[in-house]
Amino acid sequence: MSAPPLTRRQAREPQPAPARPRRWGALVADTALAVAGVAGALCVVLALATVLLDVRVTLFSTGSMSPTIPAGAAAIARGIPAAEIQVGDVVTVERPGKLPITHRVTEVAAVPDGAPQARRITMRGDANAVEDPFPYDVERVRVVVFSVPGVAPLLSAAGTPPVLAAVTIAATALVVGVFWPRSRRRDAPRPGASSPAPTGGDDEGSP
């Protein structure tokens, strides 16, 4: 059965172009843009958490905290005052002139002749048989909230210049590809083009 003929009114009205399936390139670009948006939002959240909540990422290169936190793990730690430290906490202590150390607290005591908020803590790694050689006098530490094994090498590599350069180039190419002007269809109606002549009956009546 053939389609009904066009009336004069229908002929004067612009006809919608038939829907075309999206090209795979556009789908890939849109998906990549969505992933980049989510990653950007996570970066913003982490940046705010770093500033407002004193949250840091700690990378473990040794196995002194194994098996709880194995070598190659990354941990999220938040800052707390020394008065809140409890025995059993896994904390990171800053050491002047040395790398920070992250071990489990085995003893907490006040610092003789020290500030009221200061604490003297003794620590030991879960994989070590004895406590650390010296206690630490601290007023603030970072307590480990949770850890993820095996991601430290990836996070460490992500901050190297080659990776940062590759991410910058990829992000630039993605933005250019998404917002680059697309060519118009050849068969799309041009502004001012005449409409096809009507055929068949007239639903408006003859003069």
Side-chain angles (χ1 to χ4, degrees):
M1 182 177 179
S2 60
L6 294 176
T7 64
R8 291 181 180 178
R9 177 181 295 175
Q10 292 172 334
R12 288 195 298 268
E13 294 178 351
Q15 300 299 315
R20 294 186 304 166
R22 301 186 67 185
R23 295 181 179 178
W24 67 269
L27 292 175
V28 171
D30 291 347
T31 302
L33 188 62
V35 172
V38 172
L42 289 177
C43 290
V44 172
V45 171
L46 290 176
L48 292 176
T50 299
V51 175
L52 301 178
L53 303 177
D54 192 16
V55 173
R56 299 289 189 276
V57 177
T58 302
L59 306 181
F60 289 79
S61 59
T62 67
S64 63
M65 279 301 298
S66 298
T68 307
I69 307 177
I76 298 296
R78 64 179 180 87
I80 61 171
E84 297 182 9
I85 301 174
Q86 298 181 2
V87 172
D89 288 343
V90 178
V91 302
T92 298
V93 174
E94 300 290 341
R95 300 183 296 176
K98 298 181 180 180
L99 292 175
I101 185 170
T102 304
H103 280 168
R104 192 178 301 277
V105 177
T106 58
E107 184 179 349
V108 182
V111 178
D113 300 326
Q117 68 272 19
R119 294 294 184 272
R120 177 167 293 173
I121 61 175
T122 304
M123 302 198 301
R124 182 177 65 197
D126 288 0
N128 297 340
V130 297
E131 276 77 9
D132 295 351
F134 304 100
Y136 306 94
D137 293 348
V138 296
E139 294 186 2
R140 189 172 183 84
V141 298
R142 291 196 298 274
V143 60
V144 172
V145 179
F146 66 90
S147 63
V148 180
V151 299
L154 296 177
L155 296 179
S156 180
T160 59
V163 174
L164 293 176
V167 170
T168 302
I169 294 173
T172 302
L174 175 62
V175 172
V176 171
V178 170
F179 294 101
W180 189 266
R182 292 181 171 85
S183 59
R184 300 179 59 183
R185 294 182 59 190
R186 295 181 178 180
D187 56 348
R190 298 178 180 177
S194 59
S195 302
T199 60
D202 184 357
D203 64 350
E204 298 180 347
S206 300

